[in-house]
Amino acid sequence: MPISQIPSSPMPDTRIVITAGEPAGIGPDIIAAIDPRAFAARLVVIGDYDMLHARAAALGTNTAFVRHGDSAAGAQAIEVIHHPLSKPCTPGQLDSANADYVLTILRKACMSCLEGEFDAMVTAPVQKEIINRAGIPFSGHTEFLAEICAAPRPVMLLIADQLRVALITTHLPLRDVADAITGEAIREVVEILNHDLRSRFGLSNPHIKVCGLNPHAGENGYLGREEIDIIIPSLQELRSSGIQVSGPFPADTLFTPAMLADADAVVAMYHDQGLPVLKHVGFHNAVNTTLGLPIIRSSVDHGTALDLAGTTSARPDSLFAAIDSAIFQTQQIRSNASSA
C-alpha cells in the first residue's frame, strides 16, 4: 500500500512542522487546502501568518489559521509560527527580497526538530533560482538541511506508490556527474538507504537494485568504465557486509515492472536518471524524503508552479502524501524504540 494511503493510528502527540516555502509559489495555496482533522498529528506551519491568511481568503478556502499556542487552536485550525515576509508578495511574482525569509523558516523548522520541539518537518517547494539571485548560494533543501544538521552524506529518496528511488548525486550539472560517482559515495548512500529502509519504513531485509551510469551499464567497458572500475567493486563490498544489493543494471531496463517486482528500492546515479520514471508513476502523490539526517524531513516532489499560484488550480496531493510519510516514519522509529 502506498505510504500516502496508510491509515495512521491515533498519535495526538506527533508534532509536524510545515514550512510555507516560496511565498510567490503554490506552497501557501496547498497549505490552505489542509484539513488538520485528516491527519493523526498536530500540524504547525511556519511562515508569514498574514500572507497565509490572505491567500486562503483569496482562494476561497475554509481554512482557519491561528497563531501558534493560541488558546483558540483546535482540531479544525492550523497553527502558524509567524515569521514575517521581508517584502509583500504577489502570487506568481518572484522577489529576491524574500529569499532570506525562505531560508530562515527552513532553518527554524530544522532547528526545532533537532531540539525536539517537533518530530518531523515537511517542506513546501522553494525556488532555487531566486535564492541564488539574492546572492545566497543554494542548491536545494537536501544540501541546506544537511549543512545545518552536520550530516556528511544526505540521501534523497523519492517515493511514488510502490516505487522508491534514491540518488547517488543530486543537484549537479550533468557534466559533473561522472566525477562525483565514487566508490565512497556509492557505499555510503547504499548503507544509509539500507539502514533507513529498516528503521523508518519497516523493511527487515530490503533488496536494493542499482543502476549503471552509462547506457547498457557500460556494456563491458565499451560505453564507459565506471561500472567496471567503481560501481561493481563497491557493490561487491556492500554484499560482503551483508546488504542485499544487486546490479549495476541498465537504467532503461531496470525501471520495468518485471525488474522492479523484487526490488524494495532503486539507486539511480543522477537526478534525471531516476526522477522522470518516478514522476511518471505518480507525479501528484510523489514524496521526497531526506535520509541520513538526525531528523525526519519529507517534502512535496514538485516545484513552485508560479503559473498556478493564486489560481485554485494547484493540487495538494503531494503535500498530503508528504505529511502522511512524515507521520509514518515517526511511528516506525517510535515502534522500533519501544521494541528494542
Side-chain angles (χ1 to χ4, degrees):
M1 179 183 293
I3 285 177
S4 61
Q5 297 177 12
I6 294 175
S8 302
S9 59
M11 293 183 66
D13 58 335
T14 300
R15 303 150 301 168
I16 309 294
V17 62
I18 304 170
T19 58
E22 165 56 51
I26 63 170
D29 301 36
I30 57 179
I31 286 171
I34 295 173
D35 179 354
R37 297 169 297 179
F39 301 96
R42 179 183 178 187
L43 306 182
V44 178
V45 175
I46 181 168
D48 188 295
Y49 175 88
D50 298 318
M51 179 270 294
L52 291 166
H53 188 274
R55 187 75 68 86
L59 294 171
T61 71
N62 295 320
T63 308
F65 291 108
V66 296
R67 303 273 181 161
H68 181 48
D70 191 317
S71 59
Q76 299 183 37
I78 299 176
E79 295 180 68
V80 179
I81 299 173
H82 175 62
H83 183 79
L85 289 168
S86 300
K87 188 175 177 181
C89 168
T90 300
Q93 297 182 21
L94 293 169
D95 192 329
S96 59
N98 283 319
D100 187 63
Y101 157 86
V102 171
L103 296 184
T104 298
I105 62 176
L106 270 177
R107 189 177 292 107
K108 284 187 172 183
C110 184
M111 291 304 300
S112 294
C113 290
L114 285 171
E115 293 166 1
E117 182 179 357
F118 294 99
D119 298 298
M121 64 182 290
V122 173
T123 55
V126 300
Q127 188 89 7
K128 301 179 186 68
E129 165 208 353
I130 201 67
I131 298 172
N132 282 278
R133 196 188 300 171
I136 306 170
F138 180 81
S139 57
H141 279 109
T142 303
E143 299 82 3
F144 183 77
L145 296 174
E147 183 176 353
I148 295 173
C149 294
R153 180 70 68 181
V155 176
M156 186 183 292
L157 176 68
L158 295 308
I159 306 167
D161 297 331
Q162 298 295 331
L163 181 60
R164 301 181 185 91
V165 179
L167 304 179
I168 299 295
T169 64
T170 53
H171 301 116
L172 284 180
L174 190 56
R175 67 172 59 252
D176 296 336
V177 166
D179 291 339
I181 303 298
T182 64
E184 180 183 29
I186 293 168
R187 290 189 297 273
E188 288 182 354
V189 168
V190 173
E191 286 168 353
I192 290 168
L193 176 61
N194 179 68
H195 176 274
D196 285 2
L197 287 174
R198 293 167 180 264
S199 64
R200 298 188 183 189
F201 295 93
L203 299 173
S204 59
N205 187 29
H207 182 195
I208 299 167
K209 290 191 172 182
V210 178
C211 295
L213 172 65
N214 297 294
H216 304 175
E219 202 164 300
N220 295 319
Y222 178 71
L223 295 176
R225 290 195 55 86
E226 285 82 3
E227 286 76 12
I228 293 172
D229 295 339
I230 301 170
I231 302 175
I232 291 173
S234 299
L235 300 188
Q236 289 172 338
E237 285 188 44
L238 290 162
R239 282 192 291 272
S240 296
S241 72
I243 296 176
Q244 188 182 188
V245 61
S246 55
F249 300 101
D252 62 347
T253 55
L254 177 51
F255 288 106
T256 58
M259 288 290 289
L260 292 174
D262 64 341
D264 292 299
V266 171
V267 173
M269 291 292 134
Y270 56 94
H271 188 279
D272 281 14
Q273 184 181 58
L275 267 63
V277 182
L278 184 127
K279 291 188 178 185
H280 174 73
V281 167
F283 178 73
H284 290 293
N285 67 337
V287 174
N288 175 6
T289 192
T290 307
L291 307 182
L293 301 181
I295 64 170
I296 296 170
R297 176 258 171 168
S298 63
S299 177
V300 297
D301 187 33
H302 59 67
T304 54
L306 298 171
D307 57 324
L308 301 181
T311 68
T312 74
S313 297
R315 290 182 54 169
D317 311 50
S318 184
L319 177 64
F320 296 169
I323 296 170
D324 279 336
S325 179
I327 296 169
F328 180 79
Q329 291 179 61
T330 300
Q331 291 177 338
Q332 285 297 315
I333 289 174
R334 288 181 178 178
S335 176
N336 292 340
S338 65
S339 61

